[in-house]
Amino acid sequence: MYAQRQRITPFTPLTGALRALSMDAIQQAGSGHPGAPLGMAEIAETLWRRYLKHNPANPDWPDRDRFVLSNGHGSMLLYALLHLTGYDVSVEDIKNFRQFGARTPGHPEVGHTPGVETTTGPLGQGIANAVGFALAEKALAAEFNRPGHTVVDHYTYAFLGDGCLMEGVSHEACSLAGTLKLNKLIVFYDDNDISIDGHVDGWFTDDTSLRFESYGWQVIPLVNGHDAKDIEEALEAARTESASPTLICCQTVIGKGSPNKAGSHDCHGSPLGAEEIAATRAAIGWTHPPFEIPAEVYAAWDAKAKGATLETGWRQGFDAYKAAFPELASEFERRVIRRELPADWSQTVTRHIADCQRKAENIATRKASQNAIAALLPHLPELFGGSADLAASNLTFVKGSKGVTANTGGNYCYYGVREFGMTAIANGLALYGGLIPYTATFLVFSDYARNAIRMAALMKQRQIMVYTHDSIGLGEDGPTHQPVEQIPSLRLIPNLDVWRPCDATETAVAWAAGVERADGPTLLALSRQNLPTVTGAIDAASIKKGGYILSDAEKPQVALIATGSEVKLALDAQIALAAEGIAARVVSMPSTNVFDRQSAEYRAAVLGSHVRRVAIEAAHGDFWRKYVGLHGAVISIDTFGASAPAGKLFEHFGFTVENVVRAVKNRSV
């Protein structure tokens, strides 16, 4: 097989530039992964110079092809492509690869480097993001395209390696992509038989072709990944496929061009070294010094003129579309190009919150969330929902929801039991633009999705995560389904806003905050059990601060801080304490993350500067020590739960008025 993979067309100056920039930048940085850039150079050159629809002068052109480097450790390949084709990535940026503050970090980061579509590195998530891009293209094409007027029509291309295929999230995402027949998704598999530990035949012997065929993909096997003609033929077949995504299996040699390290894990994650780089230069016929590219090579790679022509053609078509369908064009510009909320958004939210306050219903916050979706969706067409096979429990499907199928678009995705894949796909939807995705599962299963949650926060992407069954309050399903450590641990993820509302009004405010937050994800932890409305006529602006005084007392001696279902317990305890001559303030804190961003003066005014504090939450309690201090108390659950009716569990674990009163008295208030 190795001999077969050596059959290539001669090295060219175009692929030589990719290889040279990559190995020189990695060598100068003293770290990096040269194997993939050297091994995928011919694939990259064929795709980027001959097929990719993009405009380096405008990386955000809506109808560009999307490119995802799922094997993100090979980032220098992408940076070299961006530099050579004319993006705002200079040779100085290349020289500063992996350095502090550089535009060329160790793994690609969206929003950091022009032309990078998504942050990759955690293997498998890039291909899942790519599925999200393709799903967005399908949904928006169905919504906006009209006969004779096609404004959404492009491909999503992805590179991936053995590591991405070993990660389970790639199975979750690619299985769904096949079911939905996302034919605009074309994936190149860098089949080089190598990972960090060596030859993969000791731990990865899947028949990848059969695996993807079983998903419903078109599979093009045994493509010579170093032969431009083979790659072109595969691409042509992929682009004419109308019923399924395509996997192009490219047999390659990792580190191709390196005389002594090619085909070995020695070149996977370490610089080649000065001597081997010199030998590689000779082997590929590259005679130029480090970081020097001849003018004729730059000219051959430059994609700016072609990109400008492509974008101009699209814009002319969009002008005709705008004349024929002015309302649709205006909506496309708002959602996809400007990414603005509707003009009547503020009125919509105000109306829904007022409706919650007027009704004062005794409902679960998961039901209040469904009511919020139902109220917002008619006025927010970009809202795109989905659940990990739990819509009937998460209550995420409403009148107006339409599931995407293999043959139709829609605004809802039945993700199946794929929590990780769902969240990573939704990150792709958010990155694409024109859609605001919300996803759903039980809170305890956030652990399955955790790294994609983290990536949403890292990438500053708007995704609303509806996580229901938020505590032991779910009852009989028992400790396997009862989250204990999840809420406090999720609050520790930077840039993730976690909301645990206590009633319908707080839930409505949390939903509004999630939609309005354009620079990060929002997670809603919602109850299974019914909760009474306790906020009354509290101003929504107070709730939006994440923590506020819900019920005060004259000269309070203690502050009871609670979230979610425990807020009503705090209010009941306030009454019991008053009967014993102890004045208590009740603070509802639906979002500690948002509360912590308020001014020090506001936070001190809410919590009280000279009062003892008791926090109450049916979750692990260590998180609350920063609010109550060493002299305060935390009523929490620091063990796993049990299978029993919810009322019995709350009593057993100390979530009772009597226990709150006892905790207050024990603090010598």
Side-chain angles (χ1 to χ4, degrees):
M1 181 180 291
Y2 186 84
Q4 177 184 350
R5 295 181 183 198
Q6 292 295 320
R7 180 182 56 81
I8 61 169
T9 52
F11 292 110
T12 71
L14 299 179
T15 58
L18 289 177
R19 288 184 165 95
L21 284 173
S22 296
M23 64 184 180
D24 288 340
I26 292 166
Q27 181 67 21
Q28 179 153 305
S31 67
H33 299 75
L38 271 64
M40 299 191 78
E42 282 79 21
I43 304 170
E45 188 269 336
T46 303
L47 173 64
W48 276 67
R49 288 193 62 250
R50 308 178 204 187
Y51 290 92
L52 194 70
K53 182 173 71 170
H54 64 126
N55 182 7
N58 183 13
D60 297 325
W61 167 34
D63 203 43
R64 68 192 181 278
D65 289 339
R66 269 63 171 181
F67 174 78
V68 176
L69 184 71
S70 190
N71 47 340
H73 53 271
S75 58
M76 257 316 304
L77 176 62
L78 178 53
Y79 299 146
L81 288 164
L82 294 171
H83 171 68
L84 291 169
T85 55
Y87 285 81
D88 186 17
V89 178
S90 68
V91 72
E92 290 303 313
D93 292 325
I94 300 294
K95 290 179 180 178
N96 287 324
F97 177 56
R98 286 183 163 234
Q99 303 310 299
F100 182 77
R103 303 175 80 190
T104 48
H107 291 85
E109 297 180 27
V110 68
H112 199 72
T113 312
V116 171
E117 300 282 4
T118 182
T119 300
T120 56
L123 293 176
Q125 288 197 67
I127 179 58
N129 296 163
V131 172
F133 288 147
L135 177 57
E137 195 273 347
K138 179 186 180 85
L140 291 175
E143 182 176 0
F144 286 105
N145 289 348
R146 293 295 182 268
H149 297 274
T150 303
V151 295
V152 181
D153 182 22
H154 62 81
Y155 290 92
T156 296
Y157 297 99
F159 286 1
L160 57 73
D162 292 305
C164 288
L165 292 178
M166 284 185 255
E167 289 285 1
V169 67
S170 70
H171 161 71
E172 294 183 24
C174 294
S175 169
L176 184 61
T179 297
L180 296 179
K181 298 186 183 300
L182 301 180
N183 66 294
K184 294 291 190 70
L185 175 61
I186 299 174
V187 177
F188 291 85
Y189 167 32
D190 181 29
D191 180 12
N192 60 32
D193 287 340
I194 296 292
S195 66
I196 291 177
D197 283 348
H199 289 271
V200 300
D201 55 9
W203 49 86
F204 183 56
T205 58
D206 300 11
D207 189 322
T208 298
S209 293
L210 286 179
R211 170 183 162 185
F212 275 77
E213 286 174 4
S214 75
Y215 294 157
W217 287 52
Q218 173 184 228
V219 176
I220 303 176
L222 302 176
V223 173
N224 186 338
H226 303 298
D227 187 309
K229 186 173 184 298
D230 265 15
I231 299 164
E232 280 191 1
E233 289 176 356
L235 264 168
E236 291 293 339
R239 288 164 57 91
T240 57
E241 171 59 44
S242 62
S244 64
T246 297
L247 180 73
I248 301 174
C249 299
C250 294
Q251 292 189 315
T252 62
V253 178
I254 190 171
K256 183 64 190 171
S258 170
N260 302 302
K261 295 188 177 183
S264 164
H265 68 282
D266 289 342
C267 66
H268 174 91
S270 299
L272 294 180
E275 290 185 8
E276 188 64 14
I277 285 178
T280 303
R281 274 183 153 73
I284 67 175
W286 189 261
T287 59
H288 312 286
F291 306 109
E292 184 177 304
I293 306 295
E296 62 271 18
V297 174
Y298 271 129
W301 268 107
D302 194 342
K304 292 193 294 293
K306 180 181 177 182
T309 300
L310 289 169
E311 183 175 350
T312 297
W314 179 83
R315 292 196 178 278
Q316 290 172 345
F318 189 81
D319 288 341
Y321 174 77
K322 192 171 184 177
F325 304 98
E327 291 184 2
L328 275 176
S330 177
E331 187 71 358
F332 184 90
E333 289 173 326
R334 176 185 72 79
R335 287 169 50 182
V336 179
I337 297 176
R338 299 195 305 273
R339 301 195 181 194
E340 297 175 350
L341 294 176
D344 65 346
W345 169 250
S346 179
Q347 297 94 308
T348 298
V349 170
T350 300
R351 188 165 51 246
H352 176 58
I353 292 173
D355 190 48
C356 292
Q357 292 175 325
R358 178 180 57 81
K359 289 182 178 178
E361 294 178 299
N362 181 30
I363 57 175
T365 50
R366 62 170 176 163
K367 177 60 179 175
S369 171
Q370 185 181 48
N371 292 344
I373 297 169
L376 300 179
L377 184 60
H379 305 276
L380 191 68
E382 55 262 55
L383 204 57
F384 188 100
S387 177
D389 201 47
L390 287 169
S393 293
N394 299 137
L395 305 184
T396 47
F397 196 89
V398 301
K399 181 181 179 181
S401 296
K402 179 186 176 184
V404 176
T405 71
N407 301 311
T408 64
N411 61 2
Y412 192 91
C413 183
Y414 291 98
Y415 286 104
V417 187
R418 300 180 176 100
E419 295 89 355
F420 194 178
M422 169 185 70
T423 311
I425 289 169
N427 283 340
L429 294 171
L431 286 158
Y432 186 97
L435 299 171
I436 297 177
Y438 67 90
T439 53
T441 185
F442 290 171
L443 180 59
V444 76
F445 300 139
S446 63
D447 290 341
Y448 285 140
R450 190 176 184 89
N451 203 260
I453 298 171
R454 183 178 188 272
M455 293 303 294
L458 178 64
M459 294 191 290
K460 301 181 179 179
Q461 292 305 302
R462 175 168 41 194
Q463 180 184 160
I464 300 164
M465 303 166 188
V466 180
Y467 283 176
T468 65
H469 297 59
D470 68 341
S471 72
I472 55 173
L474 67 89
E476 292 85 350
D477 274 343
T480 61
H481 284 53
Q482 292 166 358
V484 174
E485 75 279 18
Q486 280 75 17
I487 291 176
S489 67
L490 288 163
R491 287 175 178 143
L492 297 176
I493 297 177
N495 201 41
L496 173 66
D497 281 356
V498 177
W499 288 78
R500 187 173 182 240
C502 71
D503 66 4
T505 300
E506 283 195 353
T507 303
V509 171
W511 254 103
V515 171
E516 292 167 4
R517 186 173 187 238
D519 61 352
T522 298
L523 187 149
L524 311 182
L526 306 173
S527 74
R528 175 184 183 271
Q529 73 274 28
N530 287 345
L531 303 178
T533 295
V534 297
T535 51
I538 290 288
D539 184 8
S542 296
I543 300 173
K544 287 187 72 172
K545 292 181 178 179
Y548 62 97
I549 300 172
L550 174 59
S551 179
D552 212 352
E554 187 176 351
K555 296 181 180 179
Q557 299 162 272
V558 62
L560 304 178
I561 311 166
T563 75
S565 52
E566 289 72 71
V567 171
K568 179 59 166 65
L569 172 60
L571 289 167
D572 291 343
Q574 180 191 42
I575 296 171
L577 287 165
E580 299 199 26
I582 301 174
R585 166 183 292 178
V586 174
V587 173
S588 177
M589 197 178 290
S591 178
T592 62
N593 306 99
V594 175
F595 180 74
D596 287 348
R597 293 200 293 270
Q598 306 307 313
S599 69
E601 293 77 13
Y602 176 80
R603 287 179 280 135
V606 169
L607 297 177
S609 300
H610 304 290
V611 299
R612 296 292 177 86
R613 300 170 186 172
V614 176
I616 313 167
E617 185 173 60
H620 199 284
D622 281 358
F623 177 85
W624 289 101
R625 286 292 166 189
K626 70 176 183 176
Y627 298 108
V628 304
L630 296 177
H631 301 292
V634 180
I635 298 172
S636 59
I637 174 170
D638 300 338
T639 66
F640 292 116
S643 178
K648 179 64 177 177
L649 292 172
F650 279 117
E651 178 183 355
H652 173 76
F653 287 106
F655 293 95
T656 64
V657 169
E658 295 76 17
N659 197 40
V660 175
V661 171
R662 186 181 307 113
V664 169
K665 288 182 174 181
N666 286 345
R667 268 13 188 211
S668 301
V669 173

